[in-house]
Amino acid sequence: MIDETTGSSGDGESFLCIILRVGLKDTSTDFFAACFSEFFLTTQLFYDIVWVGIKIRYIPPSLARSFLVSIHKGYRRFIPMKILFVCTGNTCRSPMAEALLKHKVPEAEVQSAGIFAVSHQRPNDHAVEALNQQGVPLDTKSQPVTKSLLHWADLVLTMTTQHKQSLILDFPDFQEKYFTLKEYVSHADRQIWNDLKQQYADYEEKRSQYIQRNQHKMDQHTLHQQLNQHLQSDWEKIQELKAGLINYDISDPFGGSMEIYKTTLEELIKHVNELAKKLYDT
């Protein structure tokens, strides 16, 4: 008999908590060990499998493999990530997104910030009310984007393309973490964004080098004019790449009516739900 609590047989034989010796020669055993820690297999000729308290007796190796693979298709494993949402003032869109994700995935580590945020401001009243009507609490305080926050985050999701571009220019060391929310959940235009990030990096490096070489050779007005001319072709390339992007912006409700905030919230709910799915290995 099998003890379903201890996962051991009556004669003292131990069960393996890793998926081995079940005909999985073409599949990584490490992968299954990570994903199927709930499974216990004996080493007898026919395998007893105990899964979430349900004993399935006498599964031969050939059937065990098919069984485990089919179970894996529905297996959900949370991928822990530290997520930072970014908007302009951190009083509307980004705190709404933060609240939605915390409500949807309580185990996720989430913060929000604003590129031009003033510290310790409360969220917009319309944002609070719109979320309350959905049964989602919102009680955050605004904070600006900082290097320490960007270092903390595994993933930085902006509300608009402009927010993302601002982060690339102001904090280029973290640009591999930057995505718009829509971009991240859709996977579209990934190559264009990669090209654009590289173009921005080249632009900033070229700009910095030109200033270092010439800042003591001309006055500020002349330096500015010459710098613009020097970077003109690079800037045009950036604009060409931007023109090929899909609109990945979450609409800004700031200053709008309650209905406008509800419309923005509906947009956020759709994309945050998609994000929540991506936080699980399905």
Side-chain angles (χ1 to χ4, degrees), residues 152-267:
W152 167 85
D154 298 312
L155 179 65
V156 180
L157 299 176
T158 67
M159 295 296 105
T160 70
T161 300
Q162 184 60 53
H163 294 140
K164 178 179 175 178
Q165 292 170 349
S166 295
L167 290 178
I168 291 172
L169 288 174
D170 294 340
F171 303 98
D173 292 342
F174 303 94
Q175 62 180 289
E176 73 281 355
K177 301 180 180 183
Y178 302 154
F179 301 88
T180 67
L181 172 59
K182 286 186 179 181
E183 171 198 6
Y184 186 73
V185 299
S186 70
H187 291 295
D189 285 355
R190 186 59 53 85
Q191 185 57 52
I192 294 179
W193 269 116
N194 288 338
D195 293 343
L196 190 57
K197 285 194 295 185
Q198 185 60 53
Q199 192 65 44
Y200 268 118
D202 293 344
Y203 177 90
E204 185 59 28
E205 182 179 3
K206 192 173 179 179
R207 175 180 176 274
S208 178
Q209 290 177 351
Y210 187 88
I211 292 174
Q212 289 179 5
R213 289 196 309 267
N214 297 283
Q215 60 183 336
H216 301 302
K217 298 178 182 179
M218 56 188 77
D219 59 59
Q220 288 297 312
H221 179 71
T222 303
L223 177 62
H224 181 71
Q225 287 184 327
Q226 295 296 323
L227 180 60
N228 286 341
Q229 292 178 9
H230 181 66
L231 297 174
Q232 182 63 35
S233 61
D234 299 85
W235 186 248
E236 289 175 355
K237 290 178 183 178
I238 289 174
Q239 299 309 308
E240 289 175 5
L241 288 170
K242 288 170 61 178
L245 291 171
I246 298 171
N247 181 8
Y248 283 124
D249 294 357
I250 299 291
S251 58
D252 187 0
F254 184 75
S257 65
M258 186 65 188
E259 290 305 313
I260 291 176
Y261 272 82
K262 287 183 178 180
T263 298
T264 297
L265 178 58
E266 290 174 2
E267 192 176 5

Side-chain angles (χ1 to χ4, degrees), residues 79-150:
I79 303 173
M81 296 185 76
K82 297 175 181 177
I83 298 174
L84 178 67
F85 290 106
V86 173
C87 67
T88 304
N90 195 213
T91 59
C92 300
R93 288 169 291 181
S94 61
M96 291 167 77
E98 176 187 355
L100 286 169
L101 186 58
K102 284 180 176 177
H103 184 75
K104 186 75 174 179
V105 186
E107 59 268 46
E109 293 187 61
V110 192
Q111 294 192 63
S112 62
I115 292 175
F116 300 112
V118 177
S119 297
H120 306 303
Q121 288 191 329
R122 290 186 53 78
N124 182 280
D125 289 341
H126 285 337
V128 174
E129 178 58 26
L131 281 168
N132 281 341
Q133 292 179 14
Q134 297 290 329
V136 179
L138 175 58
D139 186 21
T140 59
K141 295 293 179 63
S142 63
Q143 60 178 338
V145 176
T146 63
K147 283 187 177 181
S148 61
L149 267 179
L150 295 173

